[in-house]
């Protein structure tokens, strides 16, 4: 068990994460009923407030706070208890991030920031909304530097040794996060805040979007890599085996530092102002990110087969039956991995020049987002929740909670399949995203999109309702395991933090030479961005004034 002071910091992060999750899922279920014309919102609340709150609270706030709870717990477990300075800066990071969250959320809910999750200019929010977003990023940096400091202390005390795999992967993710945030920090501080407060009259729209997507795509990997950490370091422990390959795992994470950042233009393939050469270059770099994901898939299924055969599985797929399907922590994570297969395939489609023309700015993208972030990432976090909270609180994860856990992940899977499939199909037919008016003023050709059994707003609403039910079950499990479930009294009842053993004897030490990877990443970023961004600045159009369209 990690120190009480460290557990307290992690539990506060989880508490904030699930508060954001509760509000965000409520906003989500309101959305699907508004689009289905089954619900009229009150005068003080409109669709775009709901849509913005849903995206910000779930995609940014819930994930960020939960990820840092996971990191804090794992770093304290694998490297030893935090020192007083690390704890102090972890608390400061928490409170700064929370302050920014409250500011941004209040401004969204009072109708001052209905600019959606991507806050594209020239839509303009209250200036303090951008200040709140900046504080969220600054707070995460403070928390990140606290964890990096804890890592450096361990390195000084253990010179010449490779760090534990969990710590290595955490630092990798933090390095990627800090580099990625430079783009959104630049656009918010030097473009959005002066523009929103009236200090400048116009904003360079193309530059602001490019800087956002410099951050926006690696943000996806900031969500995904903690799930990968769980897959690499926790799943093998649940299966009773070692990590399949320590060096493969480390190399996969290093590749994400290199190839997750200089790829933002693949979100801007339909935008003018960026030459096809630079778009094509970043599409190629995007496809390079597939490599570490395939390495991860290979490692995971090798781990499954080793475990199954160790337990007596024979034949081609006999090992599959021997996996611990009765353990909800494993089953939830396995289902999350399975969902990532169609999610990853959809990502390849989105990043392709010609195919992107078909799906860009349609509901396909919304479906893709939910089947990647909303399932592989979210369901992995749910599986982690089932043991992380009992571990931190010292409470039992009772049989009743285990049964409810299975109900929760099954309902989440069904709801997501219904909703995301409907969104994918409707997107292929042409239904737009980011709007409550998807029928083009009841144009007959548009209404035909919604006549199918799957391609129907009713199907989306049913899926969204099942997801909301699943979310409420999860909230019940969270509250029970945090405050109500009985304390563990015997060794068998104690929930442990299950980090797998890792054989580092053949792992090259240069994999943990961060300056190599940061240097290569910097070169790739300069190659991919220096010329197009300088062109946007030197040949900038007159710029745009702010618009409030709601």
């Amino acid at each position: 068990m990690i120190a009480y002071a460290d557990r307290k910091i992690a539990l506060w992060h989880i508490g904030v994460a699930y508060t954001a999750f509760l509000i965000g899922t409520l906003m989500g279920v309101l959305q699907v009923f508004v689009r289905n014309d089954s619900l009229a919102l009150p005068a003080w609340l409109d669709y775009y407030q709901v849509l913005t709150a849903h995206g910000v609270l779930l995609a940014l706030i819930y994930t960020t706070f939960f990820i840092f709870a996971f990191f804090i717990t794992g770093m304290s477990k694998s490297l030893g208890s935090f020192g007083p300075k690390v704890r102090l800066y972890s608390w400061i990071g928490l409170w700064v991030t929370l302050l920014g969250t409250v500011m941004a959320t209040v401004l969204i809910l009072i109708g001052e920031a209905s600019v959606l999750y991507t806050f594209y200019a020239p839509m303009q929010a209250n200036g303090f909304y951008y200040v709140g977003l900046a504080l969220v990023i600054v707070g995460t940096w403070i928390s990140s530097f606290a964890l990096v400091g804890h890592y450096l202390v361990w390195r000084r005390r253990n010179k010449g040794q490779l760090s534990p795999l969990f710590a290595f992967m955490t630092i990798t993710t933090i390095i990627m996060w800090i580099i990625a945030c430079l783009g959104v920090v630049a656009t918010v501080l030097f473009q959005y805040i002066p523009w929103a407060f009236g200090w400048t009259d116009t904003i360079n729209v193309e530059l602001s979007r490019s800087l956002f997507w410099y951050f926006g795509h690696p943000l996806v990997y900031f969500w995904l890599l903690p799930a990968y950490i769980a897959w690499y370091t926790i799943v093998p422990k649940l299966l009773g085996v070692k990590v399949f390959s320590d060096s493969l795992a480390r190399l996969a994470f290093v590749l994400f530092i290199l190839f997750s950042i200089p790829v933002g233009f693949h979100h801007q393939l339909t935008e003018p102002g960026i030459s096809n050469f630079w778009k094509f270059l970043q599409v190629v770099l995007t496809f390079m990110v597939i490599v570490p994901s395939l390495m991860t898939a290979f490692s995971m299924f090798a781990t499954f087969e080793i475990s199954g055969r160790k337990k007596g599985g024979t034949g081609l797929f006999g090992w599959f039956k021997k996996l611990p399907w009765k353990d909800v922590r494993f089953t939830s994570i396995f289902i999350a991995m399975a969902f990532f297969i169609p999610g990853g395939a959809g990502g390849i489609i989105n990043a392709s020049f010609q195919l992107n023309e078909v799906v860009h700015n349609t509901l396909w993208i919304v479906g893709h987002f939910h089947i990647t972030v909303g399932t592989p990432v979210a369901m992995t976090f749910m599986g982690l929740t089932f043991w992380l909270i009992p571990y931190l609180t010292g409470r039992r994860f009772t049989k009743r909670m285990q049964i409810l856990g299975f109900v929760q992940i099954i309902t989440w899977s069904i709801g997501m399949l219904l909703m995301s499939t409907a969104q994918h199909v409707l997107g292929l037919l042409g239904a737009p995203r980011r709007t409550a008016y998807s029928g083009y003023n009841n144009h007959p050709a548009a209404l035909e999109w919604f006549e199918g059994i799957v391609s129907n707003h009713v199907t989306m609403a049913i899926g969204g309702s099942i997801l909301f039910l699943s979310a409420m079950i999860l909230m019940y499990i969270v509250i029970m395991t945090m405050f109500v479930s009985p304390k563990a009294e015997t060794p068998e009842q104690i929930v442990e933090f299950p980090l797998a053993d890792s054989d580092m004897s053949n792992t090259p030490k240069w994999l943990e030479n961060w300056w190599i990877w940061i240097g290569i990443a910097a070169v790739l970023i300069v190659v991919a961005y220096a010329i197009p961004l300088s062109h946007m600045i030197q040949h900038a159009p007159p710029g745009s004034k702010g618009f409030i369209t709601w």
Side-chain angles (χ1 to χ4, degrees), residues 457-471:
H457 274 316
V458 174
T459 304
M460 266 205 296
I462 292 171
S465 300
I466 295 172
L467 285 170
F468 184 70
L469 170 65
S470 179

Side-chain angles (χ1 to χ4, degrees), residues 526-549:
V526 169
V527 168
Y529 276 106
I531 293 176
L533 290 186
S534 64
H535 186 272
M536 291 176 199
I537 295 169
Q538 292 173 6
H539 304 284
S544 176
K545 292 185 177 181
F547 291 89
I548 296 176
T549 58

Side-chain angles (χ1 to χ4, degrees), residues 173-189:
T173 308
I174 286 172
I175 290 171
M176 185 203 68
W177 173 246
I178 292 171
I179 297 173
C181 285
L182 295 175
V184 75
V185 167
T187 189
V188 167
L189 289 184

Side-chain angles (χ1 to χ4, degrees), residues 282-469:
Q282 296 204 16
V283 165
V284 172
L285 292 173
T286 300
F287 289 143
M288 293 299 293
V289 182
I290 298 169
V291 175
S293 291
L294 291 176
M295 291 167 65
T296 300
F298 171 78
S299 180
M300 288 302 98
F301 279 92
T303 302
F304 297 151
E305 183 168 359
I306 290 169
S307 171
R309 297 204 182 282
K310 184 179 175 182
K311 294 171 183 175
T314 57
L316 190 58
F317 295 109
W319 53 270
F320 188 77
K321 299 177 183 178
K322 299 294 182 178
L323 298 178
W325 299 112
K326 294 182 180 180
D327 187 340
V328 69
R329 300 172 299 171
F330 170 78
T331 305
S332 59
I333 292 176
F334 185 91
I335 295 173
M337 293 178 186
F339 266 99
F340 196 61
I341 297 171
I348 296 171
I349 291 169
N350 300 342
S352 303
F353 259 104
Q354 294 87 346
L355 294 175
N356 183 267
E357 294 288 336
V358 177
V359 301
H360 189 84
N361 214 29
T362 70
L363 270 177
W364 167 284
I365 304 297
V366 182
H368 169 73
F369 200 72
H370 282 89
I371 209 171
T372 50
V373 181
T375 318
V377 172
M379 283 192 69
T380 298
F381 289 0
M382 292 165 188
L384 294 177
T385 298
F386 297 149
W387 60 258
L388 188 57
I389 296 178
Y391 173 76
L392 294 170
T393 59
R395 297 184 183 276
R396 293 168 52 194
F397 192 61
T398 62
K399 288 185 178 179
R400 184 185 178 192
M401 292 299 105
Q402 292 180 49
I403 293 170
L404 281 175
F406 274 108
V407 173
Q408 190 269 318
I409 62 169
I410 290 169
T411 51
W412 190 270
S413 302
I414 294 170
M416 196 61 75
L417 274 174
L418 288 172
M419 189 179 77
S420 68
T421 303
Q423 289 169 338
H424 276 89
V425 174
L426 282 165
L428 288 176
L429 295 173
R433 65 185 290 210
R434 295 192 178 109
T435 176
Y437 306 103
S438 54
Y440 289 99
N441 292 322
N442 295 322
H443 190 284
L447 293 179
E448 289 178 2
W449 300 338
F450 306 99
E451 292 177 355
I453 296 174
V454 175
S455 59
N456 197 304
H457 274 316
V458 174
T459 304
M460 266 205 296
I462 292 171
S465 300
I466 295 172
L467 285 170
F468 184 70
L469 170 65

